[in-house]
């Protein structure tokens, strides 16, 4: 259900039981079957069998359903055992119990682009400037406690969905800080934007090395995904030194991919970045991809419901 944003309700309600069906009655009257118990989850929910780890389903579209536990088979009354030689049987068969399952639910955001970077790299500021998302922003680590989705509109009635994932720290792949619970949100993205703090307090080479290491430890596949370097907060550098310092960082990192120099807070370079991202997404996005439309609608719904909240 695209109107639901998180799995937080399952922290409080963990057990769900469908109602029992009604018993059969005399005069060959069959008992009424119980209605289905429908449990609503956000778009992007992955369902696993908890004991075995088996993947049961991946709910990526609004309205998509899956059966996780079936009700028992109904009982048989004595009329089912009537025969030509036994007109009044005293035989019956009780119904079978329904299935019981212990499930593990995970929510993975659906987005074209994921923002990656250390705490305070400027991810929340960037997504607030270029999209409809309105995350809480402040100058201290882990301001973003929940992933944010924003639809970035581009001239020509084009758009893509951007995900702001909480900042990572060293050891995140092993669960440190907010850990792997947020790294997994990047697994569906087509492109990663690696934001780096170019301000006086930033250490770009070390920050990039830390994030790259955490990506590799969490998922080599994710580490190999298309990733662009975005040098942020260049407005904090003396104008005469900006180009030299940025070039020095790129050279030190031996970065071979695309590089963008921006100031998210001042809006410098963000338009060029958005245009480049849109062109890339259009190149890799399947023209018949229904998931892209569902992703965008889901992002709009989330922002309508959570605007102004952290």
């Amino acid at each position: 259900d695209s109107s639901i944003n998180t799995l937080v309700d399952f922290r409080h309600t963990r057990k769900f039981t469908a109602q029992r069906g009604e018993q059969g009655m005399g005069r060959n009257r069959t008992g009424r079957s119980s209605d289905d118990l429908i449990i609503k989850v956000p778009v992007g929910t992955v369902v696993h069998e908890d004991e075995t780890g088996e993947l049961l389903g991946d709910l990526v579209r609004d309205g998509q359903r899956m059966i996780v536990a079936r009700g028992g088979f109904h009982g048989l009354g004595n009329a089912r055992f009537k025969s030509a030689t036994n007109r009044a049987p005293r035989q019956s068969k009780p119904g079978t119990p329904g299935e019981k399952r212990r499930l593990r639910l995970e929510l993975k955001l659906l987005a074209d682009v994921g923002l990656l970077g250390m705490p305070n790299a400027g991810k929340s500021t960037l997504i607030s400037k270029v999209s409809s998302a309105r995350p809480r922003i402040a100058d201290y680590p882990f301001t973003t406690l929940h992933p944010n989705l924003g639809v970035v509109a581009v001239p020509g009635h084009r758009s893509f969905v951007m995900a702001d994932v909480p900042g990572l720290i060293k050891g995140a792949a092993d669960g440190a800080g907010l850990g792997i619970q947020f790294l997994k949100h990047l697994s569906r993205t087509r492109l990663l934007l690696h934001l780096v703090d170019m301000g006086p307090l930033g250490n770009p080479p070390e920050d990039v090395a830390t994030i790259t290491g955490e990506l590799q430890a969490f998922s080599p596949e994710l580490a190999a995904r298309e990733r662009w370097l975005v040098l942020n907060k260049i407005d904090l550098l003396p104008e005469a030194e900006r180009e030299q310092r940025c070039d020095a960082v790129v050279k030190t990192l031996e970065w071979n991919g695309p590089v963008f120099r921006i100031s998210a807070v001042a809006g410098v370079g963000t338009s060029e970045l958005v245009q480049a991202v849109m062109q890339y997404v259009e190149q890799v996005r399947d023209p018949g991809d229904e998931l892209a439309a569902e992703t965008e609608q889901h992002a709009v719904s989330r922002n309508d419901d959570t605007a102004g909240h952290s």
Side-chain angles (χ1 to χ4, degrees):
D1 186 333
S2 61
S3 66
I4 302 174
N5 301 319
T6 72
L7 294 171
V8 68
D9 289 344
F10 293 95
R11 291 183 179 272
H12 310 292
T13 305
R14 294 178 176 268
K15 186 175 181 180
F16 298 84
T17 307
Q19 293 184 347
R20 292 172 55 89
E22 296 178 357
Q23 293 190 5
M25 293 172 282
R27 299 181 181 179
N28 295 332
R29 285 182 289 179
T30 301
R32 179 179 178 275
S33 296
S34 172
D35 294 331
D36 290 335
L37 174 64
I38 299 175
I39 303 170
K40 295 184 178 182
V41 297
V43 174
T45 298
V46 182
V47 185
H48 295 269
E49 166 66 49
D50 188 53
E51 295 181 1
T52 65
E54 177 189 359
L55 174 64
L56 301 181
D58 193 356
L59 301 169
V60 297
R61 291 178 175 82
D62 189 31
Q64 184 180 351
R65 297 188 182 195
M66 61 174 292
I67 297 176
V68 295
R70 295 185 180 275
F73 185 74
H74 62 77
L76 302 176
N78 68 331
R80 296 291 291 270
F81 299 93
K82 187 183 294 187
S83 67
T85 58
N86 186 358
R87 306 302 298 173
R90 294 181 177 275
Q91 184 180 1
S92 63
K93 186 176 181 180
T96 60
E99 289 182 318
K100 294 183 179 180
R101 303 191 85 162
R102 185 179 180 91
L103 306 177
R104 186 176 77 252
L105 306 181
E106 294 182 350
L107 178 59
K108 295 182 179 180
L109 295 183
L110 306 178
D112 297 301
V113 181
L115 301 182
L116 190 64
M118 298 289 282
N120 284 340
K123 300 183 302 300
S124 294
T125 300
L126 177 60
I127 197 172
S128 70
K129 292 292 185 180
V130 301
S131 80
S132 55
R134 292 295 176 266
R136 178 182 294 175
I137 301 170
D139 190 21
Y140 52 88
F142 298 121
T143 303
T144 305
L145 298 180
H146 305 282
N148 295 295
L149 282 180
V151 177
V152 182
V154 180
H157 303 288
R158 299 179 297 162
S159 62
F160 61 87
V161 177
M162 180 180 286
D164 164 25
V165 176
L168 304 180
I169 61 174
K170 191 171 184 178
D174 298 322
L178 297 174
I180 60 175
Q181 61 178 312
F182 294 121
L183 270 171
K184 67 187 179 187
H185 285 303
L186 297 172
S187 63
R188 297 190 197 269
T189 57
R190 296 178 169 90
L191 171 66
L192 299 176
L193 297 183
H194 192 151
L195 267 67
V196 178
D197 182 355
M198 289 295 295
L201 300 180
N203 188 339
E206 182 178 329
D207 292 348
V208 172
T210 297
I211 295 297
T212 302
E214 295 308 317
L215 280 180
Q216 188 67 41
F218 176 72
S219 168
E221 179 185 358
L222 188 59
R225 189 157 303 169
E226 181 75 10
R227 182 159 43 115
W228 294 358
L229 185 65
V230 180
L231 306 179
N232 190 25
K233 304 185 183 180
I234 62 171
D235 58 308
L236 300 181
L237 299 175
E239 189 170 353
E241 301 177 14
R242 288 178 188 175
E243 186 172 350
Q244 180 181 355
R245 289 198 184 183
C246 290
D247 289 344
V249 168
V250 174
K251 183 176 181 180
T252 300
L253 293 172
E254 299 182 347
W255 191 272
N256 296 318
V259 179
F260 294 85
R261 300 166 173 81
I262 72 166
S263 168
V265 69
V268 176
T270 55
S271 177
E272 292 81 358
L273 174 62
V274 165
Q275 290 287 349
V277 170
M278 186 74 258
Q279 291 178 11
Y280 177 82
V281 169
E282 288 177 333
Q283 290 174 1
V284 299
R285 182 187 284 171
D286 184 348
D289 188 1
E290 297 179 8
L291 179 59
E294 293 290 347
T295 299
E296 189 166 311
Q297 181 58 44
H298 182 46
V300 172
S301 174
R302 284 174 57 92
N303 288 321
D304 287 346
D305 293 340
T306 60
H309 301 279
S310 62

